[in-house]
Amino acid sequence: MDLVTQISQSIPAILFFATAALAVVAAFNVILQRNPIYSAIALIVVMMALAGVFLTLASPFIAAIQVIVYAGAIMVLFVFVIMLLNVRAEESITDKVKYLKFVAPALFIALLAEVGAIVGAIDAVAKPAISANTVADPSKVNGTVESIAQAMFTTYLLPFEATSVLILMAIVGSMLLAKRETPEEAKMAYDAARDYREQAD
Amino acid sequence: MLPVSFGLALLQTAEIAGAPLNIKLSWCLALSAVLFTIGVAGVLVQRNVIVLFMCVELMLNAVNLTLVAFSRFLGDITGQLFVFIVMTVAAAEAAVGLAIIISLFRNRETLNVDEADLLKL
Amino acid sequence: MEEFLKTNLLHPNVAWLVEASIKMVAFWLFVTLVVAYTTYAERRVLAVIQNRLGPNRVGPFGLLQPFAELLKFIFKEDLVPLAVNKWLYIAAPAVSLVPAMMVLIVYPFGPEVTIPILNIKVPLYVTHMNVGLMYVLALTSLGVYGIVIGGWASNSKYSLLGGLRSSAQMISYELALSLSLVAVILQVGTLDLVKIVEAQSGWGGMRWNIFGLMGTGFIAFWIYLISAIAETNRVPFDLPEAETELVAGFHTEYSALKFALFFLAEYVNMTTVSVLATVMFLGGWNGPLVAQFPWLGIFYFIGKVFFFLFLYIWLRGTLPRLRYDQLMNFGWKFLLPAALFNILLAAVIALIAY
C-alpha cells in the first residue's frame, strides 16, 4: 500500500480527532466564560464541530440538520434573547452555593473514569461506508436523505406526527408566555411581587 | 472557506479510495461522555439561567452523538431518526424556555436562578 | 480532467484533490469578479433609472471603478472604536463572508465540457453531495451570525437595532424560502443539486421546474424570489441597514476593509441566492441546444444569474422600503401560509400526475 492511499485512509480518523478536540475545547468555554454571549458562541462552535463528527460517521443528513436546526435556529434564538435582554457578564460564577464547587469536580472525575472504562472495553470498527454518489439507489445507504425519509414516513410515521403536535403546543405556549401584558396587569403583577418580596425579607 | 471545503474534499477523497471510515465506536462514546459531563458540570457551577439552558442543550447534543454512533455501527437507521425527533423536541423546548426566561426577566429583572425560587413569576 | 491527471501524472486521490482545488479557486474568482461588476452595474443602472450618468471616469466607461473602490478601501484608516467588543468586532465580517463563500462547492455552474485543445473532460462543479440543498440552506442560515454579532459588538444603538431587526427578518423569511423549495423537490425527488439540474433537461432543455406541476412551480418561484430578496437584506426589505432610520444599520461602526468584507458578503449572498434560483427553478445550465454544444450551457447559466442580479438593481431603483410591521405581517401572515398551501397543492398534483 503506497503512502497516498495510507494517508487518505486515515483522513476520517484525523478529521474525527480534530473536530472532537474542537468540540471539547469549545464545550469547556461554554461553562467557563462569564459573558453569556461568549458561551453562546462557544456552543455554536460545539454544534458545528459535532456536525463535522457526524460527517465522519457517514451521516450527512444528520450533520446538515444539526447545522440548520441547532446552529441556524435554536442558537440564533439564544443570541437574540441575550442581545434583547442585554445580559452583562457576571462578576463571579459561584457566589451562593459554595459546596457545588466541590461536588462538580468529583462528579467530573467519576464520569471521566467511566469514559476511560468505555474506551478500554469497547472495540468495534464500522463497516466500510458506501459513497451515496456512486450507488444507483441512495435509499439503500444508511444516513442519506432517502433512507431516513423512507423510515420516517413508513415505520415511524406516528412519532413524526406526534412531534408536529408538540411543535404546535410549543408555538401556542411561547406566544402565551411572551405576550405583552396590558399596563394595568403589569403593574398589578409588579406590586404583588414587590409585596411578596418584602414579606419574605 | 478553504479549510472547511478542503475538509469536505478530503473526506470525499477518502470515500473514493474505498477506505473504511476507520473510526472506533469507543472514540465516539468517549467524546459523547466528555461532552455530557461538561454539560452537567456547567449546570452545577453556572447560575445564569440562559447559560444553564445552553448546558442542557450541550447534554442533548452529546446524547445525539451516541445515538448517531450506534446507528452507524449497528447499521440501523433508527438511531438517526431518534436524533431527528430529539432535535425537534429541543427546538420546541428552546422556544418555550426562552419565552419563560423573557417573562422571568420582565418580572424579576435578573437571570440568576437562585433569585427565581418563588414557584411563580 | 480527473481521468487525464490519473493516466498522466498522479495518484488518483491526489488527482481528485488537485482537480477540486483548481475548480474551487476558479469558481471563487469567478464569483468575486461577478460581485465586483455587480457593484459597478448597480451604480450605472441606478444612474440610468434616476436620469444621471453614474461612475464613468476610471477606465473606459468607468469599467475599472470596482478596482479603484477596492484600493480606496485598502488605504483607508482601519478604525476600531474604543467601546467595541474587540474580538467579536473583528470576527464579525469574516463570519458573514465565510458561509457565503462555502456554498460554492456544491453549485453546478455548467455541464461536463471538453476543453478544446487538450481534449480533457471537465464537469463544471466541484462535488455533488447527497444533501446538497440542505448544505446550502445550512450555510445560508449561518450567515445571520455575522450581522448579529457585528451589530452587538459595535456597542452602538443603531448597530444593535440593525442587528436585531436583521436576525428577526432573516429567521422569518428563511422559513418561507425553504418551504418554497419543497415544491421543487417534489418534482425532482432528490436534494443533489447536480441531479436537480439534470432532471430539468427534457423538452429540448426547457423542462424547467418553474413550469412544472401545473403552476405550483411558478407560485413557488415567486415565493422564493420575494423571500430571497428579504434574506439578502435588499430593497424593499433593507430594514437592517435603512439609511434614513438607522444611519447604516449593523455596519455603522465599520470602516475600511472590514466594511468592505460586509459589503462583499452582501453581494456574494445576492449572487449565490441568484445561482440557487437558477439551479432550482430556471433549469441551471439547461436551454435549447445544450445537448449538442455543452459550452452553450455556461452562457445560459451566466445569463440567467445576471437576469436575477439585474432584477435586484431594478427593484432598488423602483420600490420604496417597507415598514417593519408590514414586513413581519407579510412574511408570517401571507408568505408562509402561501408556501405551505403551495406544498399541499403541489403534493396533490404530483400524486395524481405521476
Side-chain angles (χ1 to χ4, degrees):
Chain A
M1 197 192 292
D2 59 318
L3 185 68
V4 180
T5 314
Q6 267 180 339
I7 291 174
S8 46
Q9 285 195 348
S10 55
I11 282 169
I14 295 168
L15 276 181
F16 178 86
F17 278 115
T19 47
L22 183 65
V24 172
V25 170
F28 270 113
N29 264 311
V30 172
I31 65 168
L32 294 180
Q33 290 289 347
R34 293 185 178 182
N35 194 338
I37 200 125
Y38 285 139
S39 295
I41 289 167
L43 190 56
I44 295 164
V45 175
V46 174
M47 282 154 179
M48 303 293 291
L50 279 181
V53 172
F54 293 155
L55 272 184
T56 64
L57 287 173
S59 316
F61 176 77
I62 294 296
I65 281 283
Q66 166 94 1
V67 178
I68 294 176
V69 174
Y70 269 122
I74 297 180
M75 289 317 293
V76 173
L77 272 185
F78 272 97
V79 172
F80 191 81
V81 167
I82 292 172
M83 279 168 52
L84 196 69
L85 302 183
N86 203 6
V87 186
R88 300 270 169 225
E90 289 186 25
E91 296 80 39
S92 160
I93 292 179
T94 48
D95 277 343
K96 291 204 166 172
V97 199
K98 288 262 163 49
Y99 65 91
L100 280 179
K101 235 191 257 180
F102 304 102
V103 175
L107 279 177
F108 192 79
I109 290 165
L111 279 162
L112 275 188
E114 273 183 50
V115 171
I118 291 169
V119 175
I122 306 172
D123 201 27
V125 178
K127 287 187 282 281
I130 315 156
S131 173
N133 293 333
T134 50
V135 293
D137 183 8
S139 64
K140 295 284 186 290
V141 183
N142 267 357
T144 58
V145 186
E146 287 86 350
S147 63
I148 287 177
Q150 225 153 45
M152 190 189 295
F153 293 116
T154 54
T155 322
Y156 299 100
L157 187 61
L158 187 64
F160 176 75
E161 297 290 347
T163 48
S164 64
V165 178
L166 178 81
I167 289 177
L168 189 64
M169 279 157 61
I171 294 171
V172 175
S174 50
M175 288 281 284
L176 190 71
L177 279 166
K179 186 171 66 86
R180 198 171 284 281
E181 297 159 327
T182 57
E184 296 86 52
E185 280 173 357
K187 191 169 184 316
M188 269 170 61
Y190 181 78
D191 289 343
R194 193 192 52 205
D195 294 345
Y196 192 88
R197 226 174 294 163
E198 277 164 5
Q199 275 177 15
D201 290 340
Chain B
M1 162 210 180
L2 287 176
V4 182
S5 309
F6 267 108
L8 282 171
L10 288 171
L11 198 66
Q12 201 103 15
T13 321
E15 267 188 78
I16 282 172
L21 291 176
N22 48 359
I23 293 162
K24 287 183 176 154
L25 179 56
S26 58
W27 300 349
C28 302
L29 295 182
L31 175 63
S32 162
V34 168
L35 289 179
F36 192 87
T37 315
I38 295 171
V40 173
V43 170
L44 290 180
V45 298
Q46 280 277 358
R47 297 291 92 196
N48 185 322
V49 60
I50 293 185
V51 182
L52 284 188
F53 203 13
M54 287 198 276
C55 291
V56 175
E57 296 288 340
L58 181 60
M59 285 149 74
L60 281 175
N61 263 283
V63 174
N64 281 353
L65 175 58
T66 317
L67 290 170
V68 171
F70 275 120
S71 157
R72 171 81 184 87
F73 284 86
L74 299 177
D76 187 347
I77 203 71
T78 314
Q80 300 193 16
L81 277 163
F82 212 101
V83 172
F84 185 82
I85 306 284
V86 168
M87 283 181 188
T88 325
V89 173
E93 176 208 324
V96 176
L98 287 171
I100 291 175
I101 289 173
I102 288 179
S103 54
L104 178 77
F105 189 80
R106 272 197 199 136
N107 290 321
R108 289 269 189 287
E109 291 183 1
T110 176
L111 287 174
N112 193 324
V113 276
D114 292 330
E115 289 172 40
D117 52 0
L118 294 181
L119 290 182
K120 57 179 276 218
L121 284 174
Chain C
M1 189 161 169
E2 199 183 333
E3 294 299 317
F4 172 78
L5 289 170
K6 254 193 238 175
T7 48
N8 287 297
L9 302 163
L10 296 166
H11 187 281
N13 293 2
V14 181
W16 191 89
L17 198 64
V18 168
E19 189 197 343
S21 313
I22 292 172
K23 280 194 281 196
M24 234 152 27
V25 173
F27 292 155
W28 190 78
L29 284 177
F30 170 72
V31 167
T32 318
L33 207 65
V34 167
V35 164
Y37 277 97
T38 310
T39 61
Y40 167 76
E42 174 156 32
R43 298 174 67 179
R44 293 291 292 212
V45 173
L46 276 183
V48 169
I49 291 174
Q50 294 162 355
N51 213 356
R52 311 181 269 118
L53 276 178
N56 62 354
R57 293 286 128 184
V58 193
F61 306 108
L63 274 173
L64 294 177
Q65 186 71 27
F67 301 99
E69 303 263 323
L70 181 67
L71 278 179
K72 184 193 77 175
F73 278 130
I74 289 173
F75 288 119
K76 267 192 169 179
E77 186 190 355
D78 193 7
L79 210 70
V80 180
L82 264 182
V84 301
N85 187 322
K86 208 162 180 192
W87 284 106
L88 295 180
Y89 179 81
I90 293 170
V95 172
S96 70
L97 183 61
V98 169
M101 284 294 198
M102 268 171 64
V103 292
L104 292 182
I105 65 165
V106 289
Y107 281 147
F109 283 77
E112 192 172 78
V113 293
T114 314
I115 294 175
I117 302 160
L118 297 169
N119 212 13
I120 308 169
K121 281 194 170 173
V122 189
L124 287 178
Y125 44 83
V126 178
T127 178
H128 54 130
M129 293 166 98
N130 177 258
V131 290
L133 185 61
M134 290 176 71
Y135 173 80
V136 173
L137 290 178
L139 288 170
T140 320
S141 66
L142 290 181
V144 66
Y145 283 117
I147 293 173
V148 172
I149 292 172
W152 185 82
S154 294
N155 206 358
S156 141
K157 58 187 164 201
Y158 298 121
S159 303
L160 184 66
L161 279 174
L164 282 174
R165 274 185 178 187
S166 147
S167 57
Q169 176 180 334
M170 287 173 89
I171 294 174
S172 311
Y173 278 83
E174 207 174 276
L175 292 171
L177 185 123
S178 317
L179 288 176
S180 72
L181 293 177
V182 173
V184 175
I185 299 164
L186 278 171
Q187 295 184 51
V188 290
T190 174
L191 294 182
D192 188 336
L193 291 176
V194 177
K195 284 183 193 159
I196 289 175
V197 174
E198 278 164 1
Q200 300 176 62
S201 62
W203 301 352
M206 290 300 285
R207 197 185 185 290
W208 300 349
N209 284 333
I210 186 173
F211 304 129
L213 291 182
M214 302 183 187
T216 51
F218 194 66
I219 300 171
F221 175 70
W222 277 104
I223 295 171
Y224 176 86
L225 200 61
I226 295 169
S227 35
I229 294 166
E231 271 290 293
T232 46
N233 297 331
R234 294 282 300 183
V235 178
F237 304 105
D238 64 335
L239 286 121
E241 43 194 292
E243 293 98 347
T244 39
E245 303 161 31
L246 294 177
V247 190
F250 61 90
H251 54 65
T252 304
E253 306 292 334
Y254 281 89
S255 60
L257 264 184
K258 296 197 195 74
F259 171 74
L261 283 185
F262 268 129
F263 197 67
L264 188 62
E266 183 184 331
Y267 280 84
V268 171
N269 269 328
M270 266 166 67
T271 314
T272 53
V273 158
S274 306
V275 171
L276 191 62
T278 308
V279 167
M280 298 298 292
F281 294 100
L282 296 190
W285 66 70
N286 284 311
L289 296 177
V290 170
Q292 287 81 19
F293 310 102
W295 280 101
L296 208 55
I298 301 171
F299 293 103
Y300 282 133
F301 182 83
I302 293 175
K304 288 168 191 169
V305 172
F306 279 6
F307 164 72
F308 282 109
L309 291 174
F310 175 73
L311 196 70
Y312 270 108
I313 300 167
W314 190 12
L315 283 177
R316 180 167 172 186
T318 314
L319 291 180
R321 184 181 305 130
L322 264 70
R323 228 171 41 224
Y324 197 67
D325 59 321
Q326 291 172 330
L327 172 94
M328 282 296 162
N329 280 341
F330 183 68
W332 285 104
K333 294 182 184 165
F334 177 73
L335 219 49
L336 188 62
L340 281 171
F341 185 71
N342 189 39
I343 290 176
L344 192 68
L345 209 61
V348 170
I349 292 171
L351 198 66
I352 295 166
Y354 296 97

